[in-house]
Amino acid sequence: MAAEGPRDFGHVPVLARRCVELLTPALTRRHPDGSGAVLVDATLGAGGHAEWFLRELPGLRLIGLDRDPGALDIARDRLAPFAERIALVRTRYDGLAAALAEFSYGAAESIDGVLFDLGVSSMQLDRAARGFAYAKDAPLDMRMDPDLPRTAADILNTYDEAALVDILHRYGEERFARRIAGRIVRQRAHTPFTSTAELVAVVYQSIPAAARRTGGHPAKRTFQALRIAVNEELDSLRSALPAAMAALCVGGRIVVMAYQSLEDRIVKRVFADAVASRTPIGLPIELPGHGPRFRSLTHGAERADAAEMESNPRSTAVRLRALQRIDHEAEPRRATGKGDS
Ligand SMILES: C[S@@+](CC[C@H](N)C(=O)[O-])C[C@H]1O[C@@H](n2cnc3c(N)ncnc32)[C@H](O)[C@@H]1O
């Protein structure tokens, strides 16, 4: 393993060594340098994790997916030294099966490893014009893919109050959803929302002073909720995970890193079902003795250690879970140890 990690491109990859450690056994089964193996990075971003893998395993081929064309441009530049071994595709990750078909990996069981590093990248947060960050005044956009038809401002200015309450409650777990939605509707009757600062001000006024002092920035949950609604993030994840797992060959591995509880809950449930069940992925019926089987590679969710949290604040929220696809007939071996975190 290399002593030093790859360069910093503004987004420092989280738990990069652990991801390499977890996926390498699946990627080196044919050859120690990864020759003949294919890794799908379903959330390529700035290519930080991808660069780690391509450096560590000089024979590995990588297919990188991202819905954000700006991220793909950055990754293409960063990964130029490995151009012969990579293919980058602009797609939502639930389009994974179609993307793989483009490269003749259409059949199930053709991929050795899959990595998901969910959420937004530091570049997306830092690029104020994208409107993801409550700390920067910017147009209320929040689209990861600029071709999406609906911005955060569109939602705020056109959805009825009940729909706004639902979004804030469901995707932000915001206990003051009703108060915030009510104030949004009253304010937009005079002046439609255009900027993040206007939304931050409304959230701030809607939350009682005592509650504003706890639980981080008062607008954090509202921004998360809108981002999830604009980008349909949870639906995309719900269908992407089974597709990714169905693409894995026997012995193949999947690692998923989530940074907020809604996404982690989906990962936890899909993985638990996969370990417990013999149901063929994607089929609504139980066929005993058939279908892919999985074992857990992690004890509950893994976290970053204190040193990484200090050097890379983004890592403080991470929850990493990993599975290995096992032989159809083998008994699943569950991770033992402490309960889930
Ligand atoms: C946390 S970043 C990945 C960072 C990357 N691992 C690195 O080290 O540079 C997540 C990326 O996933 C992308 N993304 C989020 N949701 C997506 C989806 N549904 N389909 C495809 N890409 C998505 C975002 O555009 C972003 O670039």
Side-chain angles (χ1 to χ4, degrees):
M1 188 167 283
E4 285 297 317
R7 297 159 294 162
D8 172 5
F9 264 67
H11 177 99
V12 182
V14 172
L15 290 174
R17 269 188 201 288
R18 183 66 180 135
C19 292
V20 171
E21 190 177 272
L22 281 163
L23 288 170
T24 294
L27 304 175
T28 53
R29 284 174 309 143
R30 292 181 198 85
H31 195 280
D33 76 355
S35 293
V38 179
L39 171 66
V40 175
D41 184 340
T43 51
L44 187 67
H49 287 96
E51 188 180 1
W52 271 79
F53 280 98
L54 290 161
R55 279 189 193 282
E56 294 281 336
L57 300 172
L60 177 70
R61 287 197 292 155
L62 180 137
I63 298 175
L65 315 179
D66 206 294
R67 67 191 303 184
D68 179 351
L72 287 171
D73 286 345
I74 292 170
R76 193 169 287 109
D77 183 33
R78 178 186 206 150
L79 303 177
F82 315 102
E84 306 283 292
R85 293 191 281 134
I86 62 170
L88 308 189
V89 187
R90 179 181 171 185
T91 179
R92 271 171 49 148
Y93 41 58
D94 48 338
L96 182 138
L100 295 185
E102 270 185 47
F103 300 100
S104 314
Y105 296 113
E109 313 191 4
S110 56
I111 298 299
D112 302 279
V114 184
L115 176 68
F116 284 86
D117 180 21
L118 302 174
V120 279
S121 65
S122 304
M123 297 97 55
Q124 287 166 329
L125 283 173
D126 289 346
R127 215 167 286 167
R130 306 295 292 268
F132 286 113
Y134 43 77
K136 294 180 181 154
D137 191 18
L140 266 168
D141 189 320
M142 298 198 194
R143 290 172 300 173
M144 289 184 191
D145 173 351
D147 290 341
L148 280 176
R150 203 182 45 175
T151 64
D154 294 332
I155 290 179
L156 287 175
N157 292 326
T158 61
Y159 281 30
D160 67 25
E161 190 169 335
L164 291 174
V165 172
D166 188 53
I167 286 173
L168 295 176
H169 189 67
R170 194 194 304 230
Y171 298 149
E173 302 186 287
E174 173 56 70
R175 67 187 162 118
F176 300 108
R178 281 182 195 289
R179 296 169 71 137
I180 296 170
R183 202 174 274 265
I184 287 170
V185 169
R186 288 198 295 282
Q187 163 132 344
R188 77 185 187 196
H190 304 290
T191 323
F193 285 88
T194 57
S195 78
T196 53
E198 291 159 1
L199 178 61
V200 170
V202 162
V203 175
Y204 194 82
Q205 289 153 16
S206 309
I207 295 183
R212 285 203 298 261
R213 289 191 283 275
T214 59
H217 193 287
K220 183 176 163 192
R221 289 176 297 277
T222 295
F223 272 64
Q224 172 184 304
L226 280 170
R227 194 193 84 203
I228 290 174
V230 167
N231 295 291
E232 298 174 338
E233 288 178 43
L234 302 186
D235 289 342
S236 183
L237 182 61
R238 269 190 210 98
S239 42
L241 290 175
M245 290 156 72
L248 284 177
C249 55
V250 173
R253 293 178 171 212
I254 176 169
V255 172
V256 184
M257 288 180 285
Y259 297 85
Q260 41 100 341
S261 56
L262 294 169
E263 286 181 337
D264 184 50
R265 256 178 253 154
I266 293 172
V267 180
K268 184 176 167 184
R269 180 166 312 161
V270 171
F271 277 18
D273 285 352
V275 168
S277 150
R278 286 181 162 228
T279 304
I281 297 287
L283 288 186
I285 48 166
E286 190 85 24
L287 292 179
H290 297 274
R293 308 192 64 193
F294 291 87
R295 74 179 178 102
S296 181
L297 298 169
T298 47
H299 303 292
E302 290 187 10
R303 313 288 310 271
D305 64 21
E308 180 164 0
M309 287 189 199
E310 193 171 333
S311 66
N312 184 8
R314 207 183 121 66
S315 70
T316 51
V318 73
R319 300 275 191 289
L320 179 151
R321 299 177 191 271
L323 291 185
Q324 179 182 20
R325 183 159 176 183
I326 55 177
D327 192 83
H328 294 243
E329 299 311 320
E331 271 310 304
R333 190 155 52 83
R334 288 163 202 252
T336 53
K338 283 178 254 146
D340 243 352
S341 45

